[in-house]
Amino acid sequence: MGRKLLLEHAQVEGIRSYEVYRKQGGYRSVEKALKTMSPDGVLEEVKKSGLRGRGGAGFPTGMKWSFLAKPEGVPRYLLCNADESEPGTFKDRYLMEKIPHLLIEGMIVSSFALGANTSYIYIRGEYSWIVFILEKAIQEAYANGWLGKNILGSGYDLDLYVSPGAGAYICGEETALIESLEGKRGNPRVKPPFPAVKGLWQSPTVVNNVETIAAVVPIVNEGGDEYAKIGIGKSTGTKLISAGGNINRPGVYEIELGVPVEEFIYSDEYCGGMKNGKKLKACVPGGSSVPILPHFLINRTANGEQRLMTYESLSDGGFATGSMLGSGGFIVYDEDQCIVRNTWNFARFYRHESCGQCSPCREGTGWMEKVLWRMENGQGKMSDIDMLVDIAKKIEGNTICPLGDAAAWPVAAAIRHFREEFEWHVNEPKACMERNYGLVREPVAV
Amino acid sequence: MPKVKIDGFEIEVPDGTTILQAARMIGGDIVPPAMCYYSSLKGSGSKCRTCMVKVTKGSDKDPRPMPKLVTSCQTMVMDGMEVANTSSEEVLKARAGVVEFLLLNHPLDCPICDQAGECHLQDLAYEHGASGTRYEFERRTFEKIDIGPYIKLHMTRCILCYRCVYVANQLTENRVHGILNRGDHAEISTFIEKAIDNEFSGNMIDVCPVGALTDRTFRFKSRVWFLNPMDAHRDCPTCSGNAVVWMYGNEIFRVTGRKDQYGEVHEFICNTCRFEKKAVSDWHIEGPRNIDRHSVIAQGHYGQKALTVR
Ligand SMILES: Cc1cc2nc3c(=O)[nH]c(=O)nc-3n(C[C@H](O)[C@H](O)[C@H](O)COP(=O)(O)O)c2cc1C
Ligand code: SF4
Ligand code: FES
């Protein structure tokens, strides 16, 4: 059994309430930080811990915090990114729903470290019931003196708010999140300036994922060095993985970084193997934006090493033969799943979620979706396959925010590894419709 | 003052100059096309991606090339920077890609579009695009909308450059003009169809690079290339009164702001001048306007050296 730092008490009866959470040792990190540490002391521990952002990009959190500009007389903000909308990712939801006080506690310690006196949790609108869970937890924290003025007599003030979004994946992009929080349309901003210099209300701002902020609690409690002992190399600590797809035990798992992928899929502690004894066909290890891996590159890297659940190992081989840990949305596909259909489904998502500012993303995502739909419905052409690769290439890197890349990568990767299946859709449209839908009918006209 | 080299031409520019501005100071063919940037509208730019260039050397201090193409309208010049625009195959390919994207949902019915002849997308496609399209699906269409008595919005032609939104936000007093929805289903709106009755709303027409926003008092009265643009002014209590009147014989067909060679107006005019002063006696006519643009529109004026249309 791996160590659990975040979800250790998640199954304790009543842990959602303040009393039970406190009894399990909750808010110790706030006591420790505010009474015995300086803000920079907390930052040092986070740096030592090697914690990397859990929102997708894996940027070292300590380094991000140290970039925060600190001009005199200007407020600073910490924003928690709880917009979690990436297909396949549902770990933040689990954490906030089960053990909301852990996030509140993390917000207090992190805000203290950054010198923020007002902080926000920006949560996706669809998590409407979690808004109430968090607000209740915040009320309890105020009532017990963990929030508000002069917390624990330390002279440190903090106000914490929950702000729900209105149903846009793009508002998970940090600058779109800031725009949305300011009450505007959630269009990503052009960078520079980065939020660390000009973020919310043009003030220095840090945006961190729910899980990143929650991880600061055990880091402060146990010390950064202790945290860094878990994991391998630059992938330290534990990570929440939301596993889904054709596995026996879908759900959210806290793993020690470094668990072999094979073990994660097949061990009963985690996914419990393939459902109905089917064969493993493909895996998207880090949410819909990351490249899909074919079965022979999942458990082993291209040069035959064991593939591990770490930032480095999952991206070993670059995009040619690797993928990314991303946000930890681990999707497993068995032999019956259609890669073309899956790729179309992702493309449909990005088309719907593009904010529409940049022409390559706005037009390219729509185009890819239409071509893939046509192919999936038996009207594809052989030339479509290379055209899709070309469209993806023309989007990638040519946009304001990474949503363009996130839309392009899955298409490019699916064709890279499953070209025959795309060709099969073109050559045998009837056969593939029969397999995918059990339909014996003529391909529909598009 | 930083020095920058663009396609081999060097120029010294003030601090805070963007690559695009520096290129415009040099002038000529090395100037990247810009469909969304508009120098007098704060916040504009970075959306259309037509102005992308390759920074082959970051600066004297840090000579590394930039890994991705950058938008020249947003990227500041650094001392010693070297930029490739037309000299980079990568840039030209990416730009052709952007043109293809911009035309994807744009109706290719220039012969019946009121903007034809002065359309920046038409020019862009002509100079940078491919001759055919690989798009085989139905284009997105919208109903035409009247935004008040003077302006017609035909969203079908819009390329979402956001310039008109910045006009609404920055020139007019209340923010009635925004974008609805997302992605390829986004559309310009006036929250919603509330007439924009601000005295400067007409400038939206001038900033629109395509035929999405047009002048209802002029629509389909004449093709622009049959008209003679004349610099003219009048004593106006609201704006500078410096405009261009577009004449056929002794009649004024329409009034616009004075656009420079990049299609930018630097003195915005009021709606009274634009829509209501159509008598020759309203204006002091200064003389023919020299339109220095690679476009059909450059044809109509006299006193020009040679036809610049390719
Ligand atoms: C289109 C898009 C959507 C994103 N959605 C999320 C999200 O839902 N949650 C999240 O934590 N980060 C999301 N991110 C990443 C954030 O921009 C940002 O990098 C992250 O919140 C930083 O937190 P971290 O350093 O703790 O990972 C998204 C990025 C993009 C480009
Ligand atoms: S890449 Fe897409 S989502 Fe991101 S800013 Fe551009 S259009 Fe919007
Ligand atoms: S002009 Fe620079 S991106 Fe549009």
Side-chain angles (χ1 to χ4, degrees):
Chain A
M1 276 283 275
R3 287 187 61 189
K4 306 262 181 287
L5 299 178
L6 304 176
L7 300 184
E8 192 181 358
H9 305 299
Q11 299 304 332
V12 174
E13 179 79 26
I15 191 75
R16 216 185 256 173
S17 76
Y18 172 75
E19 286 74 30
V20 178
Y21 182 72
R22 178 73 176 141
K23 219 171 277 162
Q24 297 293 333
Y27 290 98
R28 266 190 302 140
S29 71
V30 180
E31 283 176 322
K32 181 171 176 186
L34 267 60
K35 288 191 176 154
T36 68
M37 297 168 80
S38 67
D40 281 343
V42 178
L43 170 61
E44 265 324 296
E45 293 305 318
V46 172
K47 274 191 186 158
K48 275 193 247 165
S49 74
L51 175 65
R52 291 167 67 172
R54 304 299 195 219
F59 192 81
T61 306
M63 202 190 293
K64 187 181 212 170
W65 287 12
S66 61
F67 289 155
L68 185 68
K70 299 191 170 162
E72 274 301 310
V74 179
R76 305 189 274 273
Y77 296 99
L78 171 64
L79 311 182
C80 171
N81 190 341
D83 194 58
E84 190 170 58
S85 315
E86 175 117 335
T89 310
F90 45 89
K91 64 186 178 71
D92 298 342
R93 162 183 167 170
Y94 186 84
L95 191 150
M96 292 186 289
E97 212 180 347
K98 289 282 175 188
I99 183 160
H101 279 284
L102 182 64
L103 176 59
I104 312 296
E105 183 176 352
M107 284 301 282
I108 301 169
V109 190
S110 306
S111 301
F112 171 71
L114 295 167
N117 298 108
T118 310
S119 297
Y120 296 87
I121 300 171
Y122 184 94
I123 184 165
R124 72 180 290 202
E126 291 89 335
Y127 286 175
S128 52
W129 72 101
I130 303 179
V131 174
F132 297 111
I133 294 175
L134 289 174
E135 282 186 339
K136 177 150 181 291
I138 289 173
Q139 272 169 19
E140 289 175 329
Y142 269 108
N144 289 283
W146 303 103
L147 283 170
K149 293 255 173 294
N150 194 16
I151 302 167
L152 301 182
S154 65
Y156 175 64
D157 308 334
L158 176 65
D159 283 312
L160 181 57
Y161 301 95
V162 182
S163 181
Y169 169 63
I170 191 58
C171 289
E173 196 280 334
E174 54 188 10
T175 56
L177 186 155
I178 291 170
E179 286 280 296
S180 174
L181 202 53
E182 289 182 358
K184 304 193 198 123
R185 180 187 163 81
N187 277 3
R189 293 179 180 170
V190 178
K191 284 164 272 189
F194 290 92
V197 180
K198 281 192 172 153
L200 185 66
W201 316 118
Q202 298 296 312
S203 303
T205 302
V206 166
V207 183
N208 272 132
N209 175 255
V210 171
E211 189 190 343
T212 314
I213 289 170
V216 176
V217 172
I219 289 169
V220 168
N221 279 337
E222 306 194 13
D225 287 333
E226 212 40 46
Y227 186 88
K229 283 184 192 156
I230 306 173
I232 295 176
K234 287 190 175 157
S235 299
T236 61
T238 64
K239 171 95 189 78
L240 300 183
I241 306 288
S242 46
N246 308 112
I247 47 175
N248 281 317
R249 287 163 40 86
V252 176
Y253 297 100
E254 181 169 5
I255 61 162
E256 290 188 5
L257 285 169
V259 169
V261 175
E262 190 163 13
E263 181 185 336
F264 185 70
I265 297 178
Y266 290 99
S267 116
D268 283 337
E269 192 183 335
Y270 304 116
C271 301
M274 300 299 294
K275 205 165 181 171
N276 302 325
K278 295 270 183 186
K279 280 206 286 252
L280 173 63
K281 177 174 180 178
C283 175
V284 173
S288 60
S289 305
V290 308
I292 194 168
L293 292 175
H295 68 92
F296 57 90
L297 289 172
I298 298 171
N299 300 328
R300 309 220 151 257
T301 63
N303 46 30
E305 282 166 28
Q306 190 175 42
R307 181 94 72 187
L308 308 176
M309 299 286 279
T310 61
Y311 292 97
E312 293 75 23
S313 179
L314 278 170
S315 54
D316 186 86
F319 276 9
T321 60
S323 182
M324 281 164 79
L325 179 59
S327 57
F330 194 88
I331 314 171
V332 180
Y333 301 85
D334 73 20
E335 55 194 301
D336 292 343
Q337 304 312 312
C338 176
I339 298 301
V340 177
R341 182 171 162 75
N342 179 70
T343 311
W344 163 72
N345 194 27
F346 285 171
R348 182 178 61 156
F349 173 80
Y350 290 108
R351 176 190 185 185
H352 188 255
E353 298 299 334
S354 161
C355 84
Q357 283 187 95
C358 321
S359 31
C361 173
R362 176 184 68 238
E363 305 295 345
T365 51
W367 191 5
M368 290 196 302
E369 189 268 335
K370 287 179 187 166
V371 175
L372 283 161
W373 191 84
R374 169 166 84 182
M375 191 172 284
E376 172 61 7
N377 285 281
Q379 298 278 311
K381 300 187 213 170
M382 207 45 99
S383 59
D384 285 351
I385 302 173
D386 284 330
M387 189 171 81
L388 282 168
V389 175
D390 186 59
I391 300 170
K393 204 186 286 163
K394 283 179 172 150
I395 301 173
E396 189 189 336
N398 292 339
T399 54
I400 294 176
C401 89
L403 189 140
D405 302 337
W409 292 341
V411 175
I415 296 176
R416 188 180 311 128
H417 297 302
F418 295 93
R419 188 177 269 268
E420 299 89 79
E421 194 165 341
F422 283 82
E423 290 172 352
W424 183 60
H425 273 68
V426 176
N427 288 331
E428 308 278 347
K430 266 184 167 175
C432 80
M433 301 234 355
E434 212 175 310
R435 180 197 68 173
N436 286 354
Y437 305 102
L439 296 178
V440 189
R441 64 170 162 106
E442 291 298 322
V444 296
V446 182
Chain B
M1 294 223 304
K3 269 197 196 125
V4 55
K5 214 185 242 177
I6 305 174
D7 283 344
F9 294 91
E10 194 168 47
I11 188 169
E12 207 172 317
V13 295
D15 279 319
T17 305
T18 61
I19 297 174
L20 180 67
Q21 286 162 339
R24 285 182 177 182
M25 290 174 197
I26 297 169
D29 285 345
I30 61 134
V31 183
M35 296 297 288
C36 68
Y37 171 78
Y38 205 87
S39 54
S40 47
L41 295 173
K42 209 169 145 257
S44 67
S46 81
K47 294 179 171 59
C48 70
R49 320 303 286 182
T50 53
C51 71
M52 288 190 303
V53 293
K54 176 92 194 157
V55 174
T56 49
K57 177 183 166 196
S59 67
D60 279 338
K61 262 200 206 124
D62 182 359
R64 286 175 302 170
M66 293 194 184
K68 293 184 195 169
L69 300 183
V70 300
T71 45
S72 60
C73 65
Q74 294 297 318
T75 311
M76 300 292 169
V77 161
M78 307 283 274
D79 193 31
M81 183 184 267
E82 284 176 22
V83 178
N85 177 26
T86 54
S87 56
S88 158
E89 200 52 39
E90 188 188 349
V91 169
L92 296 180
K93 262 204 193 131
R95 190 169 293 150
V98 172
V99 175
E100 187 174 29
F101 285 135
L102 284 174
L103 290 176
L104 222 52
N105 273 303
H106 191 88
L108 300 179
D109 59 358
C110 304
I112 57 151
C113 174
D114 211 33
Q115 191 85 0
E118 58 179 348
C119 173
H120 287 262
L121 186 57
Q122 206 177 31
D123 297 344
L124 180 80
Y126 186 68
E127 287 178 23
H128 303 278
S131 53
T133 176
R134 296 179 291 170
Y135 190 67
E136 295 164 327
F137 302 90
E138 233 176 73
R139 293 183 154 75
R140 134 196 87 152
T141 54
F142 298 84
E143 292 294 318
K144 296 188 188 78
I145 305 175
D146 291 332
I147 308 185
Y150 296 131
I151 304 172
K152 175 82 86 188
L153 167 63
H154 194 190
M155 190 55 218
T156 305
R157 306 193 185 284
C158 175
I159 57 162
L160 286 165
C161 70
Y162 279 62
R163 284 176 179 178
C164 61
V165 178
Y166 291 111
V167 169
N169 283 350
Q170 289 166 31
L171 296 183
T172 69
E173 280 148 19
N174 44 356
R175 189 164 173 249
V176 282
H177 194 75
I179 307 267
L180 283 181
N181 297 325
R182 291 190 295 251
D184 61 1
H185 33 285
E187 57 180 297
I188 305 286
S189 91
T190 57
F191 287 112
I192 289 168
E193 296 189 27
K194 211 160 98 194
I196 293 189
D197 48 12
N198 183 284
E199 256 300 286
F200 283 87
S201 62
N203 290 294
M204 277 180 227
I205 299 167
D206 279 353
V207 302
C208 182
V210 295
L213 290 165
T214 45
D215 181 344
R216 286 183 66 195
T217 67
F218 171 68
R219 268 176 74 82
F220 299 114
K221 294 246 162 73
S222 170
R223 310 298 330 210
V224 290
W225 55 86
F226 292 137
L227 302 178
N228 291 320
M230 309 288 268
D231 278 341
H233 67 267
R234 61 181 283 271
D235 287 328
C236 176
T238 317
C239 67
S240 71
N242 290 330
V244 175
V245 296
W246 297 73
M247 305 187 62
Y248 190 80
N250 246 349
E251 247 183 290
I252 293 178
F253 272 66
R254 72 162 176 178
V255 180
T256 66
R258 295 185 180 178
K259 294 188 183 180
D260 68 12
Q261 58 179 316
Y262 304 110
E264 292 189 2
V265 173
H266 300 284
E267 277 177 306
F268 289 107
I269 60 169
C270 69
N271 286 2
T272 310
C273 287
R274 183 186 305 272
F275 299 117
E276 280 159 22
K277 300 296 171 190
K278 299 268 175 98
V280 177
S281 57
D282 289 329
W283 296 93
H284 304 284
I285 301 208
E286 296 163 19
R289 172 142 193 97
N290 187 10
I291 292 179
D292 183 16
R293 221 178 107 188
H294 286 264
S295 189
V296 177
I297 197 182
Q299 204 194 87
H301 90 100
Y302 18 72
Q304 192 181 343
K305 300 161 259 114
L307 211 58
T308 44
V309 185
R310 284 201 302 188

